[in-house]
Amino acid sequence: MSSTAPQSPVPTSTALALAVDLGGTKVEAALVTDAGVVLPSTRFRSPTGPQRTSDELQAAVDEVVTKALGTLPSDATLVGVGVGSAGPVDEEHGLVSPLNMPVWRGHPLRDRIAELVPDGVPVTLRMDGLAITLAEHWVGAAQGSDHVMGMIVSTGVGGGLILHGRTVSGPTGNAGHIGHVECGGYDDPCACGGTGCLEAIASGPKTVAWAQRQGFAGSTGEELSAAYAAGDPIAVAAVKRSGRALGQAIAAATSLVDLEVVAIGGGFSHVTPDLFEFAREAVAERVEFGFVTKVRIVPTALSQDGPLIGAAALVHRADVLR
């Protein structure tokens, strides 16, 4: 479904990237300028999710990519395609195995998208957490910092790393996958096979599920947010629990790689600003480690555009990709 927001004319010779963001509930595609601006009328969305077949998921990707490409102005240049996908990924071979889409294991997403774009246009695939980190470093809340983690707290919890000003993706492309760092004091089972993983505690659906087990009558993150704002004690306890787990994981990551800033986006990160305060309180407990307590935990500066801007940054900011 495309946005109906007005769009300014695209200047002649504009270099545009096609950005594709694949997540646990939706896939989006849009054209993005080399200044990190998503062109509103080029943006298309289609649902994903664990209930869909492999063919249905690919059809959703094909639909949004084809529609976005169809809006490319005749006087603009498509310089590349950036794809940010929920992980795990296989960066070298362009394969994706999103945990919340079990029908896709080793799915050749990069090559399938490459079949849809003009010959010679490069397609770059990275984990969505790395893409969002690039976006925050480029035009978002982490500008001016070279030791950054970007995080997505939504249907799942993802992350990515920039160290010394360059991305760090590791040998397979999954470095920074903080959603599957285990948090002490929690025994929530995780779909990855672990116990007490951050995603199993602090993602939107898992936080709501925990609240429901305590007697919460709602079923969505939006309802939990409203209940929190109204002072509902179960909602407050659920958000505190998730915020603390976020802070524990961030403190552990900062202990490991000496982060300056962690920028967090994703739908559930908006449940309440207090989520960030609870995370900061957990980090502040590392009283003897100033290099940990220095880390700044901030909300995304890019609203809902962050994942698409990040995917486009795989093209427009290729110079910082390692």
Side-chain angles (χ1 to χ4, degrees):
M1 180 175 64
S2 65
S3 169
T4 57
Q7 174 195 358
S8 299
V10 179
T12 302
S13 301
T14 293
L16 298 177
L18 173 63
V20 182
D21 173 56
L22 174 69
T25 58
K26 61 179 173 58
V27 59
E28 283 193 287
L31 298 174
V32 182
T33 73
D34 58 5
V37 177
V38 178
L39 301 181
S41 65
T42 74
R43 187 172 188 166
F44 298 86
R45 173 186 297 186
S46 187
T48 57
Q51 75 283 1
R52 294 187 174 266
T53 67
S54 179
D55 287 345
E56 287 172 337
L57 288 172
Q58 187 60 55
V61 173
D62 293 350
E63 176 188 3
V64 297
V65 167
T66 301
K67 287 183 175 178
L69 282 172
T71 67
L72 182 71
S74 59
D75 56 0
T77 301
L78 182 67
V79 294
V81 180
V83 183
S85 173
V89 302
D90 179 337
E91 181 181 302
E92 180 181 357
H93 300 103
L95 310 178
V96 302
S97 304
L99 189 62
N100 295 319
M101 300 178 210
V103 296
W104 272 8
R105 291 294 176 264
H107 184 75
L109 182 63
R110 182 188 63 196
D111 290 348
R112 292 295 299 269
I113 290 176
E115 294 171 0
L116 302 174
V117 302
D119 290 343
V121 175
V123 180
T124 302
L125 180 141
R126 295 289 190 273
M127 194 166 62
D128 56 357
L130 184 64
I132 194 70
T133 306
L134 265 175
E136 297 294 344
H137 183 255
W138 181 22
V139 293
Q143 294 179 77
S145 297
D146 282 341
H147 297 81
V148 176
M149 173 172 278
M151 290 182 64
I152 300 166
V153 181
S154 187
T155 307
V157 177
L161 291 168
I162 288 178
L163 301 178
H164 299 286
R166 303 290 298 276
T167 63
V168 177
S169 58
T172 64
N174 293 289
H177 209 332
I178 195 171
H180 297 279
V181 168
E182 294 187 1
C183 300
Y186 300 87
D187 59 4
D188 306 55
C190 184
C192 78
T195 300
C197 291
L198 178 61
E199 180 170 296
I201 304 160
S203 69
K206 296 300 184 181
T207 303
V208 171
W210 183 87
Q212 289 174 326
R213 293 195 295 273
Q214 316 311 310
F216 177 60
S219 60
T220 68
E222 290 80 5
E223 290 171 326
L224 188 71
S225 177
Y228 182 92
D232 179 87
I234 294 176
V236 170
V239 173
K240 282 186 175 180
R241 183 176 189 268
S242 294
R244 177 169 183 80
L246 281 167
Q248 287 181 223
I250 289 168
T254 304
S255 295
L256 187 65
V257 295
D258 201 3
L259 297 167
E260 296 174 285
V261 59
V262 176
I264 304 178
F268 192 69
S269 71
H270 303 295
V271 65
T272 168
D274 292 348
L275 183 74
F276 289 79
E277 288 304 316
F278 298 138
R280 293 177 186 124
E281 288 171 6
V283 171
E285 293 175 5
R286 306 293 183 99
V287 292
E288 295 297 329
F289 278 0
F291 79 94
V292 173
T293 58
K294 77 175 184 325
V295 68
R296 294 185 296 115
I297 303 174
V298 298
T300 176
L302 303 175
S303 187
Q304 301 304 310
D305 289 344
L308 287 171
I309 294 172
L314 298 172
V315 177
H316 291 312
R317 296 296 310 279
D319 58 306
V320 304
L321 294 182
R322 190 182 295 276

